[in-house]
């Protein structure tokens, strides 16, 4: 058991040593001052890159965690049909990449630099396929992901006019 393991590239402020926030229980009761600590298996990544686990049939989003990992977390608050949690200590870490940016984890951007490149590419292809499928668009084969050069932005915004033309 790797109790208390802190993954590289993730600052201590994300490991449960930050300011004390109020806990809002998912049923809406105010449980001020108390945090619920649990151990969870990260099953997948949420849309914004947070690790996603299940607790009593409810999604729990945990920043900085990856699928296949097991974490001790503190449930912080509820948002809609989801709970948010703060990672406290890794019980079992999965495969991680060394983040290339020294600001990783503190600036708020590039939340997936600790994800291995092949896993990142697969995640992007699945997200594109899921978005198209959700709109009832036949996808066929999705080609290899085009990569941005290291130490550059990984985001691109496309705009289309009412006729579906890039513009």
């Amino acid at each position: 058991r790797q109790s208390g393991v802190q993954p590289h590239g993730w600052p201590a402020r994300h490991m449960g040593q930050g300011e004390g926030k109020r806990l809002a229980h998912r049923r809406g009761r105010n449980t001020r001052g108390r945090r619920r600590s649990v151990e969870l298996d990260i099953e997948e990544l949420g849309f914004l890159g947070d690790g996603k686990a299940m607790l009593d049939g409810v999604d729990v989003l945990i920043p900085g965690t990856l699928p296949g990992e097991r974490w001790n977390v503190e449930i912080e608050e509820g948002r809609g049909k989801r709970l948010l949690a703060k990672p406290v200590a890794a019980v079992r870490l999965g495969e991680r990449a060394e983040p290339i940016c020294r600001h990783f984890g503190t600036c708020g951007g590039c939340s997936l630099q600790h994800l291995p490149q092949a896993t990142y590419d697969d995640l992007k292809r699945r997200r594109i396929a899921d978005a198209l499928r959700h709109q009832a668009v036949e996808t066929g084969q999705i080609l290899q992901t085009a990569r941005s050069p290291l130490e550059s932005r990984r985001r691109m915004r496309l705009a289309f006019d009412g006729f579906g033309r890039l513009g």
Side-chain angles (χ1 to χ4, degrees):
R1 184 175 167 123
Q2 298 175 323
S3 185
V5 173
Q6 180 173 329
H8 58 269
W10 200 251
R13 71 180 183 86
H14 292 290
M15 295 293 117
Q17 300 169 2
E19 69 288 335
K21 289 184 179 177
R22 250 176 43 178
L23 170 70
H25 192 274
R26 66 185 164 118
R27 290 185 183 87
R29 292 182 301 210
N30 184 357
T31 55
R32 201 178 320 171
R34 293 188 332 221
R35 292 179 187 253
R36 181 176 174 196
S37 295
V38 294
E39 193 171 288
L40 297 173
D41 290 308
I42 310 305
E43 299 172 6
E44 61 182 324
L45 288 175
F47 187 74
L48 298 177
D50 294 335
K52 194 158 90 171
M54 294 293 287
L55 178 64
D56 300 328
V58 176
D59 286 338
V60 181
L61 300 177
I62 307 123
T65 62
L66 296 176
E69 297 181 340
R70 185 169 183 84
W71 282 83
N72 286 319
V73 302
E74 289 182 345
I75 306 297
E76 290 191 323
E77 60 183 277
R79 286 219 178 124
K81 296 178 182 177
R82 294 187 173 101
L83 295 172
L84 302 180
K86 180 182 285 189
V88 175
V91 175
R92 179 187 68 243
L93 288 176
E95 181 184 354
R96 288 176 166 252
E98 182 70 38
I100 58 171
C101 179
R102 64 187 171 108
H103 302 290
F104 174 72
T106 59
C107 79
C110 305
S111 63
L112 293 175
Q113 283 190 18
H114 60 304
L115 190 63
Q117 189 66 50
T119 308
Y120 179 83
D121 292 345
D122 183 55
L123 172 70
K124 287 297 186 179
R125 283 191 299 275
R126 278 193 324 240
R127 285 187 176 170
I128 290 168
D130 290 346
L132 292 172
R133 194 175 314 107
H134 183 72
Q135 296 298 319
V137 175
E138 230 6 84
T139 60
Q141 180 185 4
I142 295 181
L143 302 177
Q144 182 68 22
T145 305
R147 295 183 180 165
S148 299
L150 293 177
E151 299 183 27
S152 68
R153 291 179 57 97
R154 288 185 167 185
R155 292 186 183 165
M156 184 168 93
R157 292 183 184 215
L158 299 175
F160 296 90
D161 66 14
F163 299 103
R165 295 180 299 225
L166 190 60

